[in-house]
């Protein structure tokens, strides 16, 4: 159950460029007029592409892909509320054997954009298609869980996935290899969007998808534009998470971030009906500070991805838990905030837990109480007790060459030096960084800077990918190479728990147990800010995730 490399790259790129402006400290919707039906909404994107193939997508359930494709379940997320799973194409599922078998019933009357009925066979085909090597790259939480999935290679040569059953046109049943309480969340990921049985073998399906959501892809030109128009067969009465307000949604691709900020600040012409899909940088926020109109149009997350310092637990001296504990006190989180966004408030709150805000079951605690600027003397004491009275020398500090990550690493380097921990920063481009940290069976680095936002609103998605021993190397994201058989056992038990409250209690206990071993140093819960034009309304960021909910956005008349 490895998170896709694409998703992690996006998380790293995003969380390493965090900013904030306090807009969401106002009552939600303040300064945003009521939306009306109609108009053309424009999304200004730095990316050269936008991917509408559900098998290849790592899109969150509230962003671009969900405008075109529905899934079995969806997310209800609002500011001030914990996210919850809700029906989409189907109900939220039932299990009668403790979470090993899950059955979903589709709503009646659902249709694709070509007018054909959406059936359970189409959902099954979409899931099976996600296993085909030719369309790999999407989220894969389901691939090792569905019975038969470990060796399955997709449906294009006639093979069926035995763990997915469709006894009738509206019923789909998943037989898993083990009990899994978060399965209703997993079926909200892109692979559980329906694809008409028999379609999707063509390599350009992403440019000609058959839609189930409120919009269909009418035009696509890489690096230029993706234009969505209304799906005439979408029925809003069956959809509780998509408002479907604009007549068209146009993604303008390949836009320079600084130019996007300038255009939205100027707020003229079509840009009044646009918002930027990329974070507003600290420098751009500073420029906005003197523009009262633009400041009112910045929307900011309350919290966000966990930025953290990973310690390679396989390498001496970091294989010593007391040495790792010293890092908890050596790090100056305030200087990291300043390096991130200019000041502490803009960057995001100091982090002390692994589970991020807005996730059910999260508990607040601090096992290593220290001032935000750190306690270097305490760190030195712990190092001396561990047998290093002269500190640590020549630690390899690996950093991805993205955004201002090297500058953040330098801030951490300086604070570690106060505690007698000497490091050498080494930067790598994205692919080389991923190869060394995530793919290689062993790693030569000592420290690395990273971030993580879960793919669905469960502590499972916070903890399992980063700390299960199964996620070491081979494309996994246990960057600290952390192995603890007790933690692995507890992760399995928490994943098998169907009751959300009971599962949340178990995940909170795992959070504390992992942090007692100090495989990482939590730094901050990064904030993200986005800028909108004056006619864009109902653009909000819930407590989770730290991105706007595209599905509710509309325009004023």
């Amino acid at each position: 159950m490895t998170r896709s490399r694409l998703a992690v790259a996006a998380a790293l790129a995003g969380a390493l460029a965090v900013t904030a402006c306090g807009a969401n400290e106002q009552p939600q919707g303040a300064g945003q007029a009521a939306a009306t039906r109609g108009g053309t909404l424009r999304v200004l994107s730095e990316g050269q592409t936008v991917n509408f193939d559900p098998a290849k997508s790592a899109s969150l359930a509230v962003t671009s892909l969900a405008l075109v494709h529905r899934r079995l379940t969806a997310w209800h997320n609002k500011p001030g509320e914990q996210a919850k799973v809700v029906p989409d194409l189907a109900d939220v599922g039932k299990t009668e054997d403790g979470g090993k078998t899950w059955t979903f019933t589709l709503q009646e009357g659902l249709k694709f954009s070509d007018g054909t009925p959406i059936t359970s066979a189409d959902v099954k085909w979409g899931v099976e298609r996600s296993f085909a090597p030719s369309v790999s790259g999407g989220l894969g939480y389901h691939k090792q869980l569905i019975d038969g999935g470990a060796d399955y290679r997709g449906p294009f040569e006639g093979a069926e996935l035995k763990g997915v059953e469709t006894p009738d046109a509206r019923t789909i049943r998943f037989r898993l290899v083990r009990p899994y309480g978060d399965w209703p969340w997993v079926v909200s990921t892109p692979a559980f969007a329906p694809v008409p049985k028999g379609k999707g073998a063509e390599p350009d399906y992403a440019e000609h998808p058959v839609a189930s959501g409120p919009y269909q892809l009418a035009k696509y030109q890489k690096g230029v534009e993706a234009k969505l128009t209304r799906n005439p067969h979408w029925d809003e009465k069956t959809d509780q998470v998509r408002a479907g307000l604009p007549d068209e949604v146009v993604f303008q691709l390949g836009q320079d971030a600084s130019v996007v900020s300038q255009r939205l600040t100027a707020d003229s012409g079509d840009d009044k009906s646009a918002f930027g899909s990329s974070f507003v940088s600290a420098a751009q926020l500073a420029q906005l500070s003197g523009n009262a109109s633009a400041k009112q149009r910045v929307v900011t997350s309350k919290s966000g991805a966990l930025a953290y310092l990973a310690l390679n637990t396989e390498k001496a001296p970091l294989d010593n838990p007391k040495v790792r504990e010293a890092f908890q006190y050596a790090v100056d989180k305030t200087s990291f905030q300043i390096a991130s966004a200019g000041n502490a408030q803009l960057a995001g709150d100091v982090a002390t837990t692994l589970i991020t805000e807005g996730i059910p079951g999260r508990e607040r605690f601090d096992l290593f109480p220290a001032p935000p600027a750190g306690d270097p003397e305490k760190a030195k004491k712990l190092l001396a007790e561990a047998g290093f009275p002269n500190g640590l020398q020549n630690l390899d500090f690996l950093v991805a060459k993205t955004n201002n990550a090297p500058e953040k690493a330098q801030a951490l380097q300086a604070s570690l030096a106060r505690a007698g921990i000497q490091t050498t920063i080494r930067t790598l481009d994205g692919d080389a960084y991923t190869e060394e940290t995530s793919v290689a069976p062993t790693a030569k680095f000592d420290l690395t800077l990273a971030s993580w936002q879960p793919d669905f609103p469960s502590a499972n998605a916070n903890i399992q990918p980063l700390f299960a021993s199964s996620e070491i190397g081979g494309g996994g994201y246990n960057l600290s190479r952390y192995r603890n058989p007790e933690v692995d056992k507890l992760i399995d038990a928490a994943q098998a728990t169907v009751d959300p409250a009971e599962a949340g209690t178990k995940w909170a206990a795992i959070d504390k147990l992992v942090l007692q071993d100090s495989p990482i140093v939590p730094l901050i819960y990064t904030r993200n800010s986005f800028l909108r034009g004056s006619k864009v309304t109902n653009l909000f960021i819930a407590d989770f995730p730290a991105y706007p909910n595209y599905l509710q956005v509309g325009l004023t008349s």
Side-chain angles (χ1 to χ4, degrees):
M1 284 191 359
T2 300
R3 190 183 191 191
S4 76
R5 215 175 286 178
L6 174 63
V8 171
L12 286 170
L16 295 174
V18 295
T19 55
C21 197
N24 277 5
E25 295 171 8
Q26 305 175 45
Q28 183 55 42
Q32 297 190 34
T36 58
R37 186 177 176 87
T40 298
L41 173 69
R42 290 173 170 80
V43 184
L44 309 183
S45 172
E46 289 181 72
Q48 295 292 319
T49 63
V50 57
N51 185 1
F52 291 108
D53 185 334
K56 297 181 179 181
S57 176
S59 175
L60 293 169
V62 295
T63 56
S64 54
L65 187 81
L67 295 168
V68 173
H69 297 289
R70 299 176 69 173
R71 300 96 184 267
L72 282 177
T73 63
W75 304 356
H76 171 85
N77 71 335
K78 295 285 185 182
E81 301 179 15
Q82 288 186 334
K84 63 180 180 181
V85 65
V86 294
D88 195 359
L89 292 174
D91 55 21
V92 296
K94 299 179 179 65
T95 180
E96 297 179 352
D97 60 359
K100 193 171 182 181
T101 304
W102 288 89
T103 302
F104 297 81
T105 303
L106 272 64
Q107 299 186 64
E108 294 187 53
L110 300 170
K111 293 182 179 181
F112 284 110
S113 53
D114 62 5
T116 59
I118 297 173
T119 69
S120 57
D122 300 313
V123 178
K124 178 182 179 180
W125 180 265
V127 174
E128 290 177 333
R129 184 174 170 271
S130 72
F131 285 81
S134 61
V135 290
S136 63
L139 297 181
Y141 287 91
H142 58 292
K143 292 185 178 179
Q144 298 298 316
L145 286 171
I146 298 176
D147 187 20
D151 301 315
Y152 186 63
R153 304 283 288 177
F156 299 140
E157 297 180 3
E160 292 192 38
L161 181 54
K162 68 177 182 179
V164 185
E165 301 170 355
T166 53
D168 59 56
R170 291 182 54 214
T171 303
I172 185 164
R173 183 175 297 116
F174 299 93
R175 298 194 183 278
L176 309 182
V177 297
R178 58 188 172 92
Y180 199 82
D182 274 339
W183 192 249
W185 284 120
V186 172
V187 300
S188 74
T189 58
F192 294 84
V195 175
K197 188 172 181 180
K199 288 194 68 66
E202 56 273 25
D204 63 346
Y205 184 74
E207 299 177 18
H208 308 283
V210 183
S212 52
Y215 300 97
Q216 57 189 343
L217 184 58
K219 177 183 177 183
Y220 181 80
Q221 186 177 357
K222 182 179 178 181
V224 180
E225 180 181 271
K227 181 179 180 179
L228 308 182
T229 57
R230 288 197 181 278
N231 169 6
H233 295 285
W234 172 73
D235 184 354
E236 62 184 316
K237 294 191 295 293
T238 70
D239 195 332
Q240 62 178 278
V241 298
R242 298 168 185 82
L245 293 173
D247 288 333
E248 297 181 346
V249 180
V250 176
F251 290 81
Q252 294 185 1
L253 306 175
Q255 305 296 305
D256 180 83
S258 61
V259 175
V260 167
S261 180
Q262 293 169 9
R263 286 172 54 183
L264 293 175
T265 300
D267 194 40
S268 64
D270 288 343
D271 290 338
K272 292 183 178 181
S273 301
F275 72 89
S277 65
S278 299
F279 308 155
V280 184
S281 71
Q284 291 162 352
L285 280 175
Q287 293 172 359
L288 295 177
S289 62
N291 186 317
S293 170
K295 282 178 64 177
Q296 289 299 312
R297 293 184 278 108
V298 175
V299 181
T300 298
S301 66
K302 180 180 179 182
S303 186
L306 173 68
Y308 63 94
L309 180 67
L311 313 178
N312 187 349
T313 61
E314 290 184 339
K315 279 191 67 180
L318 298 176
D319 57 351
N320 184 327
K322 183 156 282 190
V323 170
R324 297 197 299 269
E325 184 181 351
F327 281 79
Q328 304 285 1
Y329 294 94
V331 164
D332 180 347
K333 297 181 183 181
T334 299
S335 69
F336 183 82
Q337 290 172 314
I338 293 170
S340 298
N343 66 56
Q345 175 60 28
L346 292 177
D349 294 337
V350 164
T352 60
T353 67
L354 307 174
I355 300 174
T356 49
E357 195 160 353
I359 298 291
R362 178 177 185 261
E363 294 182 9
R364 297 178 181 272
F365 61 87
D366 187 356
L367 299 183
F368 311 103
D375 186 345
E377 296 307 313
K378 172 86 172 188
K380 289 178 182 177
K381 182 173 182 294
L382 288 166
L383 288 175
E385 292 172 0
F388 298 91
N390 297 320
L392 306 175
Q393 287 77 42
N394 300 320
L395 296 186
D396 180 33
F397 191 172
L398 180 61
V399 182
K401 194 180 296 182
T402 177
N403 296 311
N404 63 332
E407 289 78 8
K408 295 177 186 180
Q410 289 166 10
L412 293 175
Q413 181 183 52
S415 64
L416 293 173
R418 295 182 309 160
I421 301 171
Q422 306 299 325
T423 63
T424 300
I425 295 173
R426 178 166 58 97
T427 60
L428 291 177
D429 289 327
D431 289 345
Y433 177 85
T434 298
E435 176 67 29
E436 183 167 341
T437 56
S438 301
V439 179
T442 59
K444 61 183 180 180
F445 69 86
D446 295 295
L447 320 172
T448 190
L449 182 61
S451 69
W452 188 261
Q453 177 163 272
D455 290 309
F456 53 88
S458 169
N460 178 7
N462 275 106
I463 289 176
Q464 188 275 342
L466 300 188
F467 303 106
S469 60
S470 61
E471 300 304 298
I472 297 173
Y477 289 93
N478 183 341
L479 304 188
S480 56
R481 309 276 163 152
Y482 174 69
R483 298 179 189 270
N484 184 328
E486 182 182 1
V487 167
D488 285 340
K489 182 178 178 181
L490 291 173
I491 286 174
D492 288 345
Q495 287 183 330
T497 302
V498 174
D499 178 72
E502 182 184 353
T505 299
K506 291 181 178 180
W507 288 116
I510 298 171
D511 191 340
K512 293 177 183 177
L513 181 60
V514 171
L515 273 177
Q516 286 173 5
D517 287 340
S518 295
I520 73 164
V521 179
L523 298 171
I524 61 174
Y525 307 114
T526 58
R527 288 194 174 105
N528 302 334
S529 292
F530 300 84
L531 183 58
R532 64 178 177 88
S534 58
K535 288 189 175 182
V536 175
T537 192
N538 209 32
L539 183 73
F540 65 82
I541 304 175
D543 291 4
F544 178 90
Y547 295 91
N549 185 328
Y550 289 24
L551 312 184
Q552 294 293 319
V553 179
L555 300 170
T556 60
S557 57

